[in-house]
């Protein structure tokens, strides 16, 4: 199991535990899963968070 899969699973588990289902629970589960995937990729070294933050701030563009 890669860090991305583990991060996604952890985010999903936290979302399900924290919420009482429903539509907004589903939306927040998706957000937690996305955050877990991003953190997992960063932990694997496949994603440079500093470069992403710079691009969001407009300081740099992706090649």
């Amino acid at each position: 199991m890669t860090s991305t899969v583990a991060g996604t699973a952890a985010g999903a588990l936290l979302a399900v535990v924290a919420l009482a289902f429903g539509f907004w629970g589903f939306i927040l589960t998706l957000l937690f899963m996305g955050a877990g995937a991003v953190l997992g990729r960063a932990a694997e070294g496949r994603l440079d968070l500093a470069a992403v933050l710079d691009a969001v701030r407009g300081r740099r563009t992706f090649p």
Side-chain angles (χ1 to χ4, degrees):
M1 182 183 311
T2 66
S3 297
T4 302
V5 173
T8 303
L13 178 63
L14 289 174
V16 170
V17 169
L19 302 169
F21 304 105
F23 175 74
W24 292 110
F26 173 75
I27 297 298
L28 287 175
T29 300
L30 289 177
L31 290 174
F32 279 124
M33 288 175 67
V38 167
L39 293 175
R41 285 207 174 248
E44 285 179 348
R46 288 202 239 166
L47 180 65
D48 183 11
L49 290 178
V52 172
L53 289 175
D54 284 344
V56 169
R57 292 180 190 145
R59 295 183 182 175
R60 175 193 291 178
T61 60
F62 288 109

